[in-house]
Amino acid sequence: MGSTMEDKKIIDLFLKRDEKAISETSNKYGMYCKTIANNITRNEQDTQECVNDTYFKAWNSIPPQIPNILSAYLGRITRNLAISKYRYNNMAKRGGDDITLVFDELDECIPSYSTVEKEYEAGIAAKAISLFLENLDKESRMVFVRRYWYADSIIQLTKEFNMSESKVKSLLFRLRNKLKDYLEKEEIIL
Amino acid sequence: MSRDRLFDEIGNIDDKIINESAKIGISKKEKETANKSNETNKKEDGEENVISFDGRADKTFRDIILVAASIIIILGIIFAIKNINNDKKIPADDIESTIAPTTKSDRKSQSNSPYITYYPINIINEYTSEISFANDLDNDGNEEKVNYRIKYTEPENSASEDNLVLEESIFKINDVDYYEFANSILNIEELVKGISVIEFDDSNLNKLIIIDSEHDDISSIVYSYDKSGLTYMFMSGKDFAQTEFDGTGKFAANYSTPYGNTDSDKFDFSYSDNKICFDNTYEENLEMMEDTIIPYKIYKGMEVKFFTSFLANNKTLSLKQEPNDTSTDISFEAREARIDKANGKGWYRITGIDGMSGWFYSENMIEYEEENMINTYIAPQDAASSEEYNEQFWYK
């Protein structure tokens, strides 16, 4: 296994416009990005495109941006690209795949009321969700993030967290309900 | 606004939370590095709000680290030499990736006993079949045998309404299971996204291997065959990608993950009088199966017969069958469908185990109604005539 460069040095390469930044990023985070993209697109070609586009976007955005956490920064780009790709591919047809299931599950978290007049401001919902997650115990938080950020499958979660499938599901179910209650309480309109 | 928005918003949660869970594809060592980098950046943020990458501070820091590391290495060597006679080992660094931990030990805590219920399906004639449910419980918890009769009615000519929308909303299937009636699955040519049948050994009629090529969540089946015409289908639990039923009381389930790892477990079952019964003890799955219609897809080249869902509440059954479809990958339980009656093309939605659902397209949908049905079904079919339809579908 080849050694990987520290994040700070990789970012430094980006800042210096050194193309080695891409290869080092790929070396260290290629599989990470690939896993995220594949969790969402479930398509090898789309996955590869997303990963390549991630490098490209990182190259174009650093600078001016300087990521605090490179993995999260790259992962977020990959996730956004993958979900765009997924939505594009599924405009005409929805398939019964795992990411659809992720979406279906999230339906349960949408607050039911719609009468509250409150302008949505960018970032409010994300901050609220972050706060909600921070207040969870670590395991619950990680399960939630792995499912709804990384789009991990249920089976994958059972392995990672050493839980039975039904336990994972019931935990997610409870978390979704909690989140829904929380979002309603915070009057977050989605 | 919707779940899409929520999904997007979750995408914007705090980096720290993302990173905390970021194990996929990152080795432990790398993750530690990332965390360390995060902490370093935070510290620098606190001082200047700008992350410096000029390298000077890094160099100093690196020098300190190098000196410290050298000392540790020297101490380590001394320690190792000192303990060499005691046969003590210096633990190796764990730097391997944590992707797809699918060894048997990783799975040891997983429930692996499938929930299986057996229901014999007795075909009375080409329009009627019976299913007996022997494991329903009455109010006192005693086993209660319930007989259901399936009736199938010929498809009627479609009306001329365009874009009929059927919104299924009244199905509350609390006791649903899935019945497959497969008597010949040959020449499987194409793997379809989802569960794919890749092998059926017709000479060994008790063997059916299924591989799920796309999903981790797997439903599998056990297949039994009786040349007398009485055919049974059994729905297993899940968690296994391949199943092999050898008729000797052992049931092997081989796992296969998208990462190419495999694993296996074995389950006991009883087999007599052409009936297979697994331990019906997997309560967790029972819970999951409530209100669920278990989907299956028809695969190119498959020649299968299906009994699908029934309505337990009002004791009405539905029967759906699929032809030897060679054009589309289709499913058979349409809980919601949109069809253009003018040309028979349309979309239908299935909902499956674990709540998975999706829309599927078929160019050959046909509407038919069943006696006492409270809803109209949509089922795809290809056959040109009803006679051919029946010949094609029904097991002789």
Short mmCIF file of all heavy atoms in Angstrom, two decimals, chain A residues 4-8 10-11 14 21-36 51 54-55 69-75 78, chain B residues 19 22 24-27 29-35 37:
data_model
loop_
_atom_site.label_atom_id
_atom_site.label_comp_id
_atom_site.label_asym_id
_atom_site.label_seq_id
_atom_site.Cartn_x
_atom_site.Cartn_y
_atom_site.Cartn_z
N THR A 4 0.26 7.86 1.77
CA THR A 4 -0.56 8.98 1.33
C THR A 4 -0.09 10.26 1.98
O THR A 4 0.48 10.26 3.07
CB THR A 4 -2.03 8.74 1.68
OG1 THR A 4 -2.12 8.49 3.08
CG2 THR A 4 -2.59 7.56 0.91
N MET A 5 -0.37 11.31 1.30
CA MET A 5 0.10 12.61 1.75
C MET A 5 -0.86 13.21 2.77
O MET A 5 -2.05 12.92 2.75
CB MET A 5 0.19 13.52 0.52
CG MET A 5 0.85 14.85 0.75
SD MET A 5 0.94 15.79 -0.80
CE MET A 5 2.44 15.16 -1.49
N GLU A 6 -0.33 14.04 3.64
CA GLU A 6 -1.20 14.72 4.60
C GLU A 6 -2.13 15.66 3.86
O GLU A 6 -1.76 16.25 2.84
CB GLU A 6 -0.35 15.53 5.58
CG GLU A 6 0.27 14.70 6.66
CD GLU A 6 1.10 15.57 7.60
OE1 GLU A 6 0.83 16.78 7.67
OE2 GLU A 6 2.03 15.03 8.21
N ASP A 7 -3.29 15.83 4.45
CA ASP A 7 -4.29 16.70 3.81
C ASP A 7 -3.74 18.10 3.56
O ASP A 7 -3.98 18.70 2.51
CB ASP A 7 -5.53 16.82 4.71
CG ASP A 7 -6.36 15.55 4.65
OD1 ASP A 7 -5.98 14.64 3.90
OD2 ASP A 7 -7.37 15.48 5.37
N LYS A 8 -3.03 18.58 4.53
CA LYS A 8 -2.54 19.96 4.43
C LYS A 8 -1.60 20.11 3.23
O LYS A 8 -1.62 21.12 2.53
CB LYS A 8 -1.82 20.32 5.73
CG LYS A 8 -1.66 21.81 5.90
CD LYS A 8 -1.17 22.12 7.30
CE LYS A 8 -0.99 23.62 7.44
NZ LYS A 8 -0.45 23.98 8.74
N ILE A 10 -1.67 18.24 0.57
CA ILE A 10 -2.46 18.13 -0.66
C ILE A 10 -3.10 19.48 -0.97
O ILE A 10 -3.08 19.95 -2.11
CB ILE A 10 -3.54 17.04 -0.51
CG1 ILE A 10 -2.88 15.67 -0.36
CG2 ILE A 10 -4.46 17.04 -1.72
CD1 ILE A 10 -3.86 14.53 -0.08
N ILE A 11 -3.65 20.07 0.06
CA ILE A 11 -4.28 21.39 -0.14
C ILE A 11 -3.24 22.40 -0.61
O ILE A 11 -3.50 23.24 -1.47
CB ILE A 11 -4.96 21.87 1.16
CG1 ILE A 11 -6.13 20.94 1.49
CG2 ILE A 11 -5.44 23.30 1.04
CD1 ILE A 11 -6.71 21.15 2.87
N PHE A 14 -2.81 22.11 -4.21
CA PHE A 14 -3.91 22.78 -4.90
C PHE A 14 -3.64 24.28 -4.95
O PHE A 14 -3.81 24.92 -6.00
CB PHE A 14 -5.24 22.54 -4.19
CG PHE A 14 -5.93 21.25 -4.58
CD1 PHE A 14 -6.03 20.20 -3.69
CD2 PHE A 14 -6.50 21.11 -5.83
CE1 PHE A 14 -6.66 19.02 -4.04
CE2 PHE A 14 -7.15 19.92 -6.20
CZ PHE A 14 -7.22 18.88 -5.30
N ALA A 21 -1.53 17.62 -7.13
CA ALA A 21 -2.64 17.64 -6.15
C ALA A 21 -3.71 16.62 -6.53
O ALA A 21 -4.28 15.94 -5.66
CB ALA A 21 -3.25 19.03 -6.09
N ILE A 22 -3.95 16.50 -7.81
CA ILE A 22 -5.00 15.59 -8.26
C ILE A 22 -4.60 14.13 -7.99
O ILE A 22 -5.39 13.34 -7.46
CB ILE A 22 -5.28 15.77 -9.77
CG1 ILE A 22 -5.69 17.22 -10.06
CG2 ILE A 22 -6.35 14.80 -10.25
CD1 ILE A 22 -6.96 17.66 -9.40
N SER A 23 -3.38 13.81 -8.36
CA SER A 23 -2.96 12.42 -8.17
C SER A 23 -2.89 12.07 -6.68
O SER A 23 -3.26 10.96 -6.27
CB SER A 23 -1.61 12.17 -8.85
OG SER A 23 -0.64 13.04 -8.33
N GLU A 24 -2.45 13.02 -5.88
CA GLU A 24 -2.40 12.75 -4.44
C GLU A 24 -3.80 12.62 -3.86
O GLU A 24 -4.06 11.79 -2.99
CB GLU A 24 -1.62 13.86 -3.71
CG GLU A 24 -0.14 13.90 -4.03
CD GLU A 24 0.59 12.63 -3.58
OE1 GLU A 24 0.09 11.92 -2.69
OE2 GLU A 24 1.66 12.32 -4.14
N THR A 25 -4.69 13.46 -4.36
CA THR A 25 -6.09 13.37 -3.90
C THR A 25 -6.67 12.02 -4.29
O THR A 25 -7.34 11.35 -3.50
CB THR A 25 -6.93 14.50 -4.53
OG1 THR A 25 -6.37 15.75 -4.15
CG2 THR A 25 -8.37 14.43 -4.06
N SER A 26 -6.38 11.66 -5.52
CA SER A 26 -6.89 10.37 -6.00
C SER A 26 -6.32 9.22 -5.19
O SER A 26 -7.02 8.27 -4.83
CB SER A 26 -6.53 10.22 -7.48
OG SER A 26 -6.87 8.94 -7.92
N ASN A 27 -5.04 9.35 -4.92
CA ASN A 27 -4.36 8.30 -4.17
C ASN A 27 -4.97 8.11 -2.78
O ASN A 27 -5.18 7.00 -2.31
CB ASN A 27 -2.87 8.67 -4.06
CG ASN A 27 -2.07 7.58 -3.39
OD1 ASN A 27 -2.40 6.40 -3.51
ND2 ASN A 27 -1.03 7.97 -2.69
N LYS A 28 -5.29 9.23 -2.17
CA LYS A 28 -5.77 9.15 -0.80
C LYS A 28 -7.29 9.01 -0.70
O LYS A 28 -7.80 8.27 0.13
CB LYS A 28 -5.31 10.39 -0.03
CG LYS A 28 -5.68 10.33 1.45
CD LYS A 28 -4.96 11.41 2.23
CE LYS A 28 -5.26 11.26 3.73
NZ LYS A 28 -4.57 12.30 4.51
N TYR A 29 -7.97 9.76 -1.53
CA TYR A 29 -9.42 9.81 -1.37
C TYR A 29 -10.20 9.24 -2.56
O TYR A 29 -11.42 9.37 -2.61
CB TYR A 29 -9.87 11.25 -1.12
CG TYR A 29 -9.43 11.75 0.24
CD1 TYR A 29 -8.50 12.79 0.35
CD2 TYR A 29 -9.93 11.17 1.40
CE1 TYR A 29 -8.09 13.24 1.59
CE2 TYR A 29 -9.51 11.61 2.64
CZ TYR A 29 -8.60 12.65 2.74
OH TYR A 29 -8.19 13.07 3.98
N GLY A 30 -9.48 8.65 -3.49
CA GLY A 30 -10.16 8.10 -4.65
C GLY A 30 -11.21 7.07 -4.27
O GLY A 30 -12.36 7.13 -4.72
N MET A 31 -10.84 6.14 -3.43
CA MET A 31 -11.77 5.09 -3.04
C MET A 31 -12.91 5.64 -2.20
O MET A 31 -14.06 5.21 -2.31
CB MET A 31 -11.01 4.00 -2.27
CG MET A 31 -11.86 2.79 -1.94
SD MET A 31 -12.60 2.05 -3.40
CE MET A 31 -11.17 1.28 -4.13
N TYR A 32 -12.57 6.59 -1.39
CA TYR A 32 -13.59 7.23 -0.55
C TYR A 32 -14.67 7.88 -1.42
O TYR A 32 -15.87 7.66 -1.24
CB TYR A 32 -12.87 8.26 0.32
CG TYR A 32 -13.74 9.20 1.10
CD1 TYR A 32 -14.47 8.76 2.20
CD2 TYR A 32 -13.80 10.55 0.78
CE1 TYR A 32 -15.24 9.64 2.94
CE2 TYR A 32 -14.56 11.44 1.51
CZ TYR A 32 -15.28 10.98 2.60
OH TYR A 32 -16.03 11.86 3.32
N CYS A 33 -14.20 8.68 -2.38
CA CYS A 33 -15.16 9.35 -3.27
C CYS A 33 -15.92 8.32 -4.10
O CYS A 33 -17.12 8.46 -4.34
CB CYS A 33 -14.42 10.33 -4.20
SG CYS A 33 -13.66 11.70 -3.32
N LYS A 34 -15.19 7.32 -4.51
CA LYS A 34 -15.82 6.30 -5.35
C LYS A 34 -16.93 5.58 -4.59
O LYS A 34 -18.00 5.30 -5.14
CB LYS A 34 -14.75 5.29 -5.78
CG LYS A 34 -15.18 4.38 -6.90
CD LYS A 34 -14.01 3.54 -7.35
CE LYS A 34 -14.47 2.56 -8.43
NZ LYS A 34 -13.40 1.71 -8.89
N THR A 35 -16.68 5.30 -3.34
CA THR A 35 -17.69 4.61 -2.54
C THR A 35 -18.94 5.47 -2.38
O THR A 35 -20.06 4.99 -2.50
CB THR A 35 -17.11 4.25 -1.16
OG1 THR A 35 -15.90 3.53 -1.35
CG2 THR A 35 -18.08 3.39 -0.36
N ILE A 36 -18.71 6.74 -2.12
CA ILE A 36 -19.87 7.64 -1.95
C ILE A 36 -20.66 7.69 -3.26
O ILE A 36 -21.89 7.56 -3.27
CB ILE A 36 -19.40 9.06 -1.56
CG1 ILE A 36 -18.78 9.04 -0.16
CG2 ILE A 36 -20.56 10.05 -1.62
CD1 ILE A 36 -18.09 10.33 0.23
N VAL A 51 -16.35 10.86 -9.69
CA VAL A 51 -15.05 10.98 -9.01
C VAL A 51 -14.13 11.92 -9.79
O VAL A 51 -13.49 12.82 -9.21
CB VAL A 51 -14.40 9.59 -8.86
CG1 VAL A 51 -12.99 9.71 -8.31
CG2 VAL A 51 -15.24 8.72 -7.93
N THR A 54 -15.19 15.34 -9.35
CA THR A 54 -14.85 15.82 -8.01
C THR A 54 -13.45 16.44 -8.01
O THR A 54 -13.24 17.54 -7.48
CB THR A 54 -14.89 14.65 -7.00
OG1 THR A 54 -16.21 14.12 -6.96
CG2 THR A 54 -14.48 15.11 -5.61
N TYR A 55 -12.53 15.75 -8.64
CA TYR A 55 -11.17 16.29 -8.70
C TYR A 55 -11.16 17.62 -9.45
O TYR A 55 -10.50 18.58 -9.06
CB TYR A 55 -10.23 15.30 -9.41
CG TYR A 55 -10.16 13.94 -8.78
CD1 TYR A 55 -9.90 12.80 -9.54
CD2 TYR A 55 -10.34 13.77 -7.41
CE1 TYR A 55 -9.83 11.55 -8.97
CE2 TYR A 55 -10.28 12.52 -6.83
CZ TYR A 55 -10.03 11.41 -7.61
OH TYR A 55 -9.96 10.17 -7.03
N ILE A 69 -11.67 20.37 6.39
CA ILE A 69 -11.51 18.92 6.40
C ILE A 69 -11.62 18.45 4.96
O ILE A 69 -12.70 18.47 4.36
CB ILE A 69 -12.59 18.25 7.26
CG1 ILE A 69 -12.54 18.80 8.69
CG2 ILE A 69 -12.42 16.74 7.26
CD1 ILE A 69 -13.64 18.28 9.60
N LEU A 70 -10.51 18.06 4.43
CA LEU A 70 -10.47 17.75 3.00
C LEU A 70 -11.40 16.59 2.64
O LEU A 70 -12.08 16.62 1.61
CB LEU A 70 -9.03 17.43 2.57
CG LEU A 70 -8.82 17.21 1.08
CD1 LEU A 70 -9.25 18.44 0.27
CD2 LEU A 70 -7.35 16.86 0.78
N SER A 71 -11.44 15.60 3.49
CA SER A 71 -12.28 14.44 3.16
C SER A 71 -13.75 14.85 3.06
O SER A 71 -14.45 14.45 2.13
CB SER A 71 -12.11 13.35 4.22
OG SER A 71 -12.49 13.84 5.49
N ALA A 72 -14.19 15.64 4.02
CA ALA A 72 -15.59 16.08 4.00
C ALA A 72 -15.85 16.98 2.80
O ALA A 72 -16.91 16.92 2.17
CB ALA A 72 -15.93 16.81 5.29
N TYR A 73 -14.86 17.79 2.49
CA TYR A 73 -14.99 18.70 1.35
C TYR A 73 -15.15 17.91 0.04
O TYR A 73 -16.07 18.14 -0.74
CB TYR A 73 -13.75 19.58 1.29
CG TYR A 73 -13.79 20.66 0.22
CD1 TYR A 73 -14.48 21.84 0.44
CD2 TYR A 73 -13.13 20.49 -0.99
CE1 TYR A 73 -14.52 22.84 -0.52
CE2 TYR A 73 -13.16 21.47 -1.96
CZ TYR A 73 -13.85 22.64 -1.73
OH TYR A 73 -13.89 23.61 -2.69
N LEU A 74 -14.25 16.97 -0.14
CA LEU A 74 -14.32 16.15 -1.36
C LEU A 74 -15.58 15.28 -1.36
O LEU A 74 -16.25 15.13 -2.38
CB LEU A 74 -13.08 15.26 -1.45
CG LEU A 74 -11.75 15.98 -1.64
CD1 LEU A 74 -10.59 15.00 -1.43
CD2 LEU A 74 -11.65 16.61 -3.02
N GLY A 75 -15.88 14.73 -0.19
CA GLY A 75 -17.06 13.87 -0.10
C GLY A 75 -18.33 14.62 -0.44
O GLY A 75 -19.21 14.10 -1.11
N THR A 78 -18.49 15.10 -4.14
CA THR A 78 -18.86 13.83 -4.78
C THR A 78 -20.34 13.54 -4.59
O THR A 78 -21.04 13.14 -5.51
CB THR A 78 -18.04 12.68 -4.18
OG1 THR A 78 -16.66 13.01 -4.26
CG2 THR A 78 -18.28 11.39 -4.94
N ASN B 19 -17.12 13.89 8.86
CA ASN B 19 -15.81 13.27 9.02
C ASN B 19 -15.82 12.19 10.09
O ASN B 19 -15.13 11.18 10.00
CB ASN B 19 -14.78 14.34 9.38
CG ASN B 19 -13.37 13.82 9.25
OD1 ASN B 19 -13.03 13.24 8.23
ND2 ASN B 19 -12.57 14.01 10.28
N ALA B 22 -16.72 9.15 8.49
CA ALA B 22 -16.07 8.90 7.21
C ALA B 22 -15.07 7.77 7.29
O ALA B 22 -13.87 7.98 7.30
CB ALA B 22 -15.36 10.17 6.73
N ILE B 24 -15.61 4.99 5.27
CA ILE B 24 -15.61 4.25 4.02
C ILE B 24 -14.46 4.70 3.13
O ILE B 24 -14.31 5.87 2.83
CB ILE B 24 -16.94 4.40 3.27
CG1 ILE B 24 -17.37 5.87 3.20
CG2 ILE B 24 -18.01 3.56 3.89
CD1 ILE B 24 -18.60 6.07 2.37
N GLY B 25 -13.67 3.79 2.76
CA GLY B 25 -12.63 4.08 1.80
C GLY B 25 -11.44 4.82 2.37
O GLY B 25 -10.50 5.11 1.67
N ILE B 26 -11.49 5.11 3.66
CA ILE B 26 -10.34 5.78 4.25
C ILE B 26 -9.75 4.87 5.29
O ILE B 26 -10.46 4.35 6.14
CB ILE B 26 -10.73 7.10 4.94
CG1 ILE B 26 -11.44 8.01 3.95
CG2 ILE B 26 -9.51 7.79 5.48
CD1 ILE B 26 -11.82 9.33 4.58
N SER B 27 -8.50 4.69 5.23
CA SER B 27 -7.89 3.82 6.22
C SER B 27 -7.90 4.52 7.56
O SER B 27 -8.04 5.73 7.67
CB SER B 27 -6.45 3.49 5.83
OG SER B 27 -5.66 4.64 5.97
N LYS B 29 -5.53 5.02 9.46
CA LYS B 29 -4.42 5.95 9.56
C LYS B 29 -4.75 7.27 8.87
O LYS B 29 -4.51 8.35 9.39
CB LYS B 29 -3.19 5.32 8.91
CG LYS B 29 -1.90 6.02 9.24
CD LYS B 29 -0.75 5.22 8.67
CE LYS B 29 0.57 5.86 8.98
NZ LYS B 29 1.67 5.10 8.43
N GLU B 30 -5.37 7.12 7.71
CA GLU B 30 -5.73 8.33 6.97
C GLU B 30 -6.76 9.13 7.73
O GLU B 30 -6.73 10.35 7.75
CB GLU B 30 -6.26 7.94 5.60
CG GLU B 30 -5.17 7.49 4.66
CD GLU B 30 -5.73 6.78 3.45
OE1 GLU B 30 -6.92 6.41 3.46
OE2 GLU B 30 -4.97 6.60 2.49
N LYS B 31 -7.68 8.39 8.35
CA LYS B 31 -8.72 9.11 9.08
C LYS B 31 -8.12 9.87 10.25
O LYS B 31 -8.49 11.00 10.53
CB LYS B 31 -9.77 8.13 9.58
CG LYS B 31 -10.95 8.83 10.21
CD LYS B 31 -12.13 7.91 10.30
CE LYS B 31 -13.34 8.69 10.80
NZ LYS B 31 -13.25 8.91 12.22
N GLU B 32 -7.18 9.21 10.91
CA GLU B 32 -6.51 9.90 12.01
C GLU B 32 -5.81 11.14 11.50
O GLU B 32 -5.83 12.20 12.12
CB GLU B 32 -5.50 8.96 12.66
CG GLU B 32 -6.17 7.95 13.59
CD GLU B 32 -5.24 6.83 13.99
OE1 GLU B 32 -4.05 6.91 13.64
OE2 GLU B 32 -5.71 5.88 14.63
N THR B 33 -5.17 10.98 10.34
CA THR B 33 -4.50 12.12 9.74
C THR B 33 -5.49 13.23 9.44
O THR B 33 -5.24 14.41 9.71
CB THR B 33 -3.81 11.70 8.42
OG1 THR B 33 -2.98 10.58 8.71
CG2 THR B 33 -2.98 12.83 7.87
N ALA B 34 -6.65 12.83 8.91
CA ALA B 34 -7.66 13.83 8.59
C ALA B 34 -8.13 14.54 9.85
O ALA B 34 -8.29 15.75 9.87
CB ALA B 34 -8.84 13.17 7.88
N ASN B 35 -8.32 13.76 10.91
CA ASN B 35 -8.75 14.37 12.16
C ASN B 35 -7.70 15.32 12.70
O ASN B 35 -8.00 16.40 13.18
CB ASN B 35 -9.04 13.28 13.21
CG ASN B 35 -10.33 12.54 12.91
OD1 ASN B 35 -11.22 13.11 12.27
ND2 ASN B 35 -10.41 11.30 13.34
N SER B 37 -5.43 16.78 10.99
CA SER B 37 -5.40 17.96 10.13
C SER B 37 -6.51 18.92 10.52
O SER B 37 -6.32 20.12 10.59
CB SER B 37 -5.57 17.52 8.68
OG SER B 37 -5.79 18.61 7.87
#
